[in-house]
């Protein structure tokens, strides 16, 4: 795990918080309960309907945002001017530093119902403040990573490019590119993701470029002259067959690729492949990019497609733009100083009290058999259990930072451990059961 | 319309852009076509399935982001180091200033299929660069505003609070609070939205606050002591009937409200209302907050509910997290200097060439009858047509800035013009037809 030592630059994240976290803090300070030791857990009660597994996204972003979670003077002025909390609470917030421990699943790890993606141990006051920020980051990034993983699995080795920035919030777009990369996407169209995270970017031209020119030939010539013969020409502005002919005429048989962005992609891919081959452009690749999701990708498995560009369905989580992760108090200090497991009683929103451990049970061949999530002491490791909790924050200091490539490698390894039925695109039960032993 | 004169602070937005916009720029600079005059339009080909109307969101945010769309040295270094574009293009970008005109629908306005939400007129080079950033902001914020409008309409005057921050990206959360406010929400839980946009915030306590304390009585007492009798007590941690009894015992009949966050909200609201009334707490309000969407809100119309808190379904656009707005070149300068209407030919992704005007046709009673979107000169106004295009950017300078309350008022007025069938929650056709006269 690569350690980065630089502090996280950027503005305070302290107000990316729900109002009630601060009023709870105020009331607890008054009642003398704010400093009680407390354990919160961030976990899913279930997977999105029909999904076989989830993928942890956002760990690195959460650690960055955690480091910037400080109430500076501007933050405090907002709370003071708005009468959000009283002076005593403002005073407490002004010196707030999280002093506790956070452990959790590594980024890119597979998760299942009740997997404790994060366990936050500190005082109630310190831990409750992180609720909204941690949930926002984990819910979004895990939604994208989970969808992306299904897509890269369906693509079965063919490269996938993330191109969805325009169909999601401009900041979510950058995070989506990052989460997709963790889950196996090759690159992104988003230049800010290149800046922030070093993710490779790609892209050549849109229909507007063809339409700008007086003829398609002018457009193709302009592009090849400037970007080289290895470029990707977009061939569906007017007539695809004519455009493919023209593309090879202009660029020669060294043409890098053609892109198809509309119509029946499977049929068109076969037609275009045959045409390219007949023109001698046997190495020219075919990229498809129209409203793809994991089902469409799987359906194109037998078509001569070389790469997929995925947009809307990726950045919206392919039907599940959020994954329903919750952040719940599971244990807190009692009157006598002992830790007391706690849980809400509601039938539809129940939880399990007590601090959890988690491990993945593997069989002798290294295939995952169960997610073990339980209270108490983990069993003696018989060699087939893989512990899942990593230290993320120790005594208030971030210790769990790693490179994005490490997260990407973890995802590939973790997914490879799953039984083959994980590859099913159809709706069904989680690929392995969660056991509360 | 309130004019704000301050420049927009904040980091550059120039890299919130797809890679291909810059490679198109490079190729067009080489070909001598970059400076051709061009008109791009931002519009929906259709509404999300079953929706009767859409609501324009993000105009003010887009204008702020537009002002920060400048390629500074750090941006240029990313492009240069990554070999994204060549030196000539970097040079062009370093002095980039948008010099053209942008007009469009006001924020909060109702829109329909093919409504030209934005018309961007400049050179190709200048206008193509804005594609991704404008689409990201409009697609996200309009998705939220459109969902929010259905919710506030279903609530029929009862206040709605936005509480979805934890179920969306942390920055999207702030924008979602803003878009919801435009579409009639009363307030938000998101403190950053208070800071940035002055939106009122609300919130009192979560289940963790009750669970922190040794008894529910301790928790309620702590909250009332600190936040006052006007606070909202959460009554579904253990047993609702007991909690309501206890709440009134602790706070008295001046208790502000109780909140129910699980179970059958309609049944529970009736039970709790009767219990509160029997205890003399006839002014104590009932707030409900569990997985609400516009359908659930409508179903609670006859229940004694005083306010709705809406989370997940709001920030995910109630089934439509993006609204499919596109940004298309519709007209550009030809070889002879004349403007040439252009459009892609694909059957499934066609568009209409030529610069559009738009107006809403009203009948004599002021009820909307049609969206008129057409090329050419608008007809003489017979007094019943409402022009929809406002100046947003003139000669590169933002002129369309307004207060959020102005946008909120526009939405209320625009929605009130729609025929009554706009209130139908069921799936159907757009409430008024779009006419290309």
């Amino acid at each position: 795990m690569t350690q980065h030592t630089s502090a996280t630059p950027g503005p305070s994240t302290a107000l990316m918080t729900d109002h009630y976290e601060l009023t709870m803090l105020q009331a607890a300070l008054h009642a003398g309960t704010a400093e009680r030791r407390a354990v919160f857990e961030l976990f899913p009660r279930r997977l999105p309907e029909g999904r076989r597994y989830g993928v942890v996204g956002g760990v690195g972003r959460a650690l960055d945002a955690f480091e910037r979670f400080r109430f500076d003077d501007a933050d405090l002025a907002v709370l003071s001017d708005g009468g959000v909390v009283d002076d005593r609470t403002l005073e407490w917030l002004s010196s707030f530093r999280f002093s506790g421990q956070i452990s959790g699943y590594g980024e890119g790890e597979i998760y299942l119902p009740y997997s404790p993606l994060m366990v936050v141990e500190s005082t109630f006051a310190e831990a409750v403040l992180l609720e909204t920020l941690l949930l926002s980051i984990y819910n979004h990034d895990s939604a994208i990573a989970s969808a992306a993983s299904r897509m890269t699995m369906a693509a079965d080795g063919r490269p996938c490019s993330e191109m969805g920035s325009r169909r999601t919030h401009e900041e979510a777009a950058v995070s989506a590119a990052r989460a997709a990369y963790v889950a196996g996407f090759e690159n992104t169209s988003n230049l800010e993701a290149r800046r922030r995270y070093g993710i490779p970017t790609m892209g050549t031209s849109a229909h507007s470029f063809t339409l700008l020119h007086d003829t398609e030939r002018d457009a193709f010539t302009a592009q090849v002259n400037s970007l080289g013969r290895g470029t990707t020409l977009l061939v569906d502005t007017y007539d695809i067959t004519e455009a493919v002919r023209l593309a090879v005429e202009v660029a020669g048989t060294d043409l890098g690729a053609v892109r198809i962005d509309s119509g029946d992609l499977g049929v068109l891919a076969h037609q275009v492949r045959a045409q390219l081959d007949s023109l001698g452009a046997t190495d020219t690749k075919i990229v498809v990019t129209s409203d793809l999701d994991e089902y469409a990708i799987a359906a194109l498995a037998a078509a001569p497609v070389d790469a997929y560009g995925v947009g809307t369905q990726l950045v919206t989580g392919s039907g599940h733009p959020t994954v329903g992760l919750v952040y719940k108090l599971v244990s807190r200090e009692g009157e006598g100083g002992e830790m007391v497991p706690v849980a809400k009683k509601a039938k539809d929103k129940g939880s399990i009290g007590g601090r959890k451990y988690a491990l993945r049970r593997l069989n002798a061949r290294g295939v995952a058999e169960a997610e073990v999530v339980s209270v108490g002491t983990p069993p003696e490791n018989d060699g087939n259990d893989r512990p899942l909790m990593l230290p993320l924050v120790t005594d208030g200091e971030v210790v769990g930072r790693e490179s994005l490539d490490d997260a990407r490698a973890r995802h590939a390894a973790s997914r490879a451990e799953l039984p083959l039925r994980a590859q099913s695109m159809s709706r069904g039960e989680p690929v392995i059961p969660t056991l509360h032993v």
Side-chain angles (χ1 to χ4, degrees), chain A residues 369-385:
Chain A
E369 291 193 324
E371 188 83 340
V372 179
V373 177
S374 200
V375 177
T377 310
E380 283 295 309
N381 195 331
D382 65 355
N384 292 327
D385 289 344

Side-chain angles (χ1 to χ4, degrees), chain A residues 224-260:
Chain A
V224 169
N225 282 348
S226 179
L227 303 177
R229 293 172 191 280
T231 194
T232 300
L233 291 171
L234 179 59
V235 292
D236 69 340
T237 304
Y238 304 111
D239 177 82
I240 291 182
T241 303
E242 169 56 18
V244 170
R245 190 196 62 71
L246 191 61
V248 177
E249 185 183 319
V250 167
T253 53
D254 294 338
L255 175 61
V258 296
R259 178 161 77 96
I260 309 171

